[in-house]
Amino acid sequence: MYINGKWLETEKQLEVINPANGELVQTVSMVGKEETQDAIQAAKTAFPKWAALTGDERSAYLSKVVDKLEEKKEVFARTITKEMGKSIHNARYEVSSSINFFKWYAEEARRVYGDVIPPSAPHKRVSAIKQPIGVVGAITPWNFPLQMGARKLGAALAVGCTVVFRPSREAPLTSLELFKVFDEVGIPDGVVNLVIGNSSDIVGELMASDDVRKISFTGSTEVGKKLIRLSADTVKRVSMELGGHAPFIVFEDADIDLAVEGVIASKFASTGQQCVCANRIYVHDSIYDSFASRFADKVSTMAVGDGLDEDNKIGAMVNQDAVDKSHDHVTDAESKGANVLYGGKALNEGKYAKGYFYAPTVLTEVNEEMKITHEETFGPVAPLIRFNTEEEVIEKANNTEYGLASYFYTNDLSRAHRVSEKLEYGMVGVNDHAPFSVQAPFGGVKESGSGREGGKYGLEDYLETKLISMAIRT
């Protein structure tokens, strides 16, 4: 752990296991309530000086972070793959994206603007200024161990907040590497603090503390709801990036080959363990059979195995529970009439014997009675669902408590506008399987969360707006 500019060790240790082969990657220290309180106090003490720096000064620190990350790109990519299993190709993409977030917010540190407001009386001058909210508790998941931290830390540090950062126990090593970078570039003591350990100890202290003014959480909807309830006691501001159940719609006028490539890129990135992965693939009845055949052919060529092997496109899943959930969704669908066009089984023999692997799977004739159409799979299982009309598929796509990402493919310009406006999701990709960038807002509606990360929008959750009204002599 890293608290108040110092690396500390504890007797309680956490073993990080490579999900591809069951081997020990590294052992790290775990903290409890006392150390978390120390981290909060360190962040509170550091806040006034960090907030008082100019945007240029904070920008300079973040620019140094960017330079160090560039030097260590491959170290970070390999660490990600070793601790959570995704292919090295996906890990490198994550590292590049994370660097871009820090680079963007290094630039945005200079651009925190207020307003001069027209007064209602001639003897008044009215303005609104933006100030950092204070100490931030940032909580991240295992599936993007660097990028999720970059989105939160970059924005928070840019505007002048200090941070207590809690990564997932499933993938803490990438965060350790990131905090080594913070240490190397000389981020002032207490500005960033790393605590690894049980959620009940760390998150409980963050939520109970009056000194923590903001919580930024990425994770499951179930946990997010608990944190929102806990935030009420101290009226903390919260931003939540929660679960998803993304529809991917292929209309009859779509470019089928383009749509197939889009589904593959969306569904199987990070072995399907992304909140924005295509979860329900709706294909128009007139092209359904052709699409299914081409899709299954492509999926059958995707090599599965240790993510560090450059030949493998699909890596390990994070643990056995993840494998079991994917298989449960497949067997449930089969029992209710779905067909397994490809895959449909755990891989646990030969080179897969010591890891957590599931075959990339294509299911056809999926219907609304099956678990997979209502629950987020978080695995490499692609269910294909028939539809006939635009109205029908929009109704089905919106029939969920989630509202994070959505996608559709069409060559009809009018339809592109109509459907984009009717889909109840925070993000819509039109002929685009990856409508995400550092300069754009990322986030969901309904039970997929609140608040936005990315671009200028990502700064707002870390800022307070203060009114200043001054009476003057005229």
Side-chain angles (χ1 to χ4, degrees):
M1 59 183 167
Y2 185 76
I3 296 176
N4 202 24
K6 296 180 177 60
W7 290 102
L8 306 171
E9 294 184 1
T10 62
E11 293 183 1
K12 193 173 183 180
Q13 300 288 297
L14 171 67
E15 292 186 343
V16 181
I17 304 298
N18 187 332
N21 54 30
E23 295 177 359
L24 176 67
V25 182
Q26 191 174 327
T27 301
V28 299
S29 290
M30 292 176 63
V31 305
K33 294 181 179 181
E34 183 178 345
E35 294 89 354
T36 303
Q37 291 168 359
D38 291 341
I40 294 170
Q41 183 59 47
K44 178 185 178 182
T45 302
F47 173 67
K49 287 185 178 180
W50 181 250
L53 294 180
T54 65
D56 278 342
E57 289 171 320
R58 291 193 297 271
S59 175
Y61 280 111
L62 291 176
S63 294
K64 291 178 183 178
V65 170
V66 169
D67 292 340
K68 283 289 183 182
L69 290 174
E70 290 280 7
E71 293 173 10
K72 300 181 176 183
K73 289 171 73 170
E74 190 64 13
V75 171
F76 275 95
R78 295 180 71 83
T79 301
I80 291 168
T81 295
K82 286 179 182 178
E83 68 175 344
M84 61 75 60
K86 70 172 64 174
S87 77
I88 192 67
H89 309 288
N90 292 152
R92 288 175 183 142
Y93 174 82
E94 179 181 345
V95 174
S96 295
S97 174
S98 302
I99 292 171
N100 286 337
F101 273 107
F102 278 114
K103 187 180 296 184
W104 176 271
Y105 285 116
E107 297 163 354
E108 286 298 285
R110 301 182 176 96
R111 290 186 272 275
V112 178
Y113 300 119
D115 295 294
V116 175
I117 302 168
S120 56
H123 68 284
K124 287 191 175 185
R125 298 296 181 266
V126 182
S127 62
I129 64 171
K130 302 280 189 177
Q131 293 182 305
I133 195 169
V135 177
V136 173
I139 305 165
T140 57
W142 51 264
N143 58 336
F144 281 89
L146 184 61
Q147 189 190 78
M148 297 298 102
R151 292 202 309 215
K152 299 178 192 305
L153 287 160
L157 296 175
V159 302
C161 294
T162 55
V163 183
V164 178
F165 185 75
R166 192 264 178 178
S168 168
R169 288 180 52 184
E170 296 283 356
L173 301 182
T174 305
S175 297
L176 281 170
E177 292 297 326
L178 177 59
F179 273 72
K180 288 177 186 177
V181 168
F182 290 149
D183 192 35
E184 289 170 10
V185 304
I187 299 268
D189 293 353
V191 171
V192 287
N193 303 273
L194 175 67
V195 286
I196 300 167
N198 294 326
S199 176
S200 57
D201 292 335
I202 296 172
V203 178
E205 291 302 309
L206 293 175
M207 298 309 298
S209 173
D210 290 321
D211 296 321
V212 177
R213 298 310 314 143
K214 151 85 179 178
I215 293 291
S216 179
F217 172 75
T218 300
S220 72
T221 296
E222 179 185 7
V223 174
K225 289 179 179 180
K226 292 179 181 178
L227 297 184
I228 292 170
R229 285 191 286 268
L230 289 172
S231 72
D233 289 338
T234 53
V235 196
K236 293 187 200 315
R237 187 184 299 180
V238 296
S239 57
M240 299 279 151
E241 197 263 281
L242 307 177
H245 202 289
F248 194 113
I249 304 167
V250 186
F251 287 101
E252 68 274 18
D253 59 352
D255 181 323
I256 295 180
D257 291 329
L258 186 68
V260 165
E261 293 298 332
V263 174
I264 286 175
S266 174
K267 176 70 260 183
F268 298 110
S270 300
T271 319
Q273 299 172 118
Q274 296 182 172
C275 54
V276 294
C277 276
N279 276 278
R280 294 166 291 152
I281 303 163
Y282 296 100
V283 183
H284 193 273
D285 187 64
S286 64
I287 60 170
Y288 185 93
D289 293 334
S290 175
F291 181 93
S293 176
R294 295 190 214 182
F295 181 51
D297 285 346
K298 288 279 187 179
V299 172
S300 69
T301 67
M302 301 180 76
V304 181
D306 190 330
L308 292 176
D309 186 332
E310 299 280 350
D311 293 334
N312 292 328
K313 300 301 181 185
I314 298 181
M317 302 194 74
V318 68
N319 54 35
Q320 187 61 46
D321 287 344
V323 174
D324 293 342
K325 184 176 183 182
S326 289
H327 194 58
D328 176 61
H329 279 190
V330 171
T331 54
D332 173 77
E334 276 192 288
S335 71
K336 295 171 182 175
N339 300 318
V340 177
L341 199 58
Y342 184 80
K345 62 180 180 180
L347 302 175
N348 48 26
E349 297 179 352
K351 67 177 182 178
Y352 305 115
K354 295 182 179 180
Y356 306 116
F357 295 95
Y358 200 85
T361 299
V362 179
L363 298 177
T364 59
E365 308 308 334
V366 173
N367 60 52
E368 299 294 312
E369 297 178 2
M370 301 169 187
K371 284 184 184 179
I372 202 165
T373 60
H374 302 287
E375 298 178 8
E376 185 177 20
T377 305
F378 231 61
V381 182
L384 305 187
I385 307 165
R386 294 180 186 267
F387 77 92
N388 287 292
T389 68
E390 183 179 305
E391 294 73 21
E392 170 199 357
V393 76
I394 290 173
E395 182 182 359
K396 287 182 176 179
N398 289 339
N399 185 28
T400 175
E401 65 269 30
Y402 298 109
L404 189 57
S406 58
Y407 316 86
F408 69 94
Y409 279 60
T410 181
N411 283 320
D412 183 327
L413 182 59
S414 295
R415 171 177 279 160
H417 286 288
R418 279 197 312 271
V419 176
S420 294
E421 293 167 5
K422 291 180 179 178
L423 285 172
E424 297 170 356
Y425 291 82
M427 299 174 286
V428 181
V430 185
N431 299 330
D432 183 2
H433 68 270
F436 321 111
S437 60
V438 295
Q439 66 270 30
F442 186 102
V445 299
K446 298 193 286 188
E447 293 190 17
S448 284
S450 61
R452 293 295 181 269
E453 294 181 323
K456 65 179 184 180
Y457 314 92
L459 298 178
E460 291 301 318
D461 278 339
Y462 299 98
L463 292 167
E464 294 281 21
T465 301
K466 178 182 285 184
L467 166 69
I468 301 175
S469 180
M470 181 183 298
I472 66 170
R473 294 175 182 175
T474 59

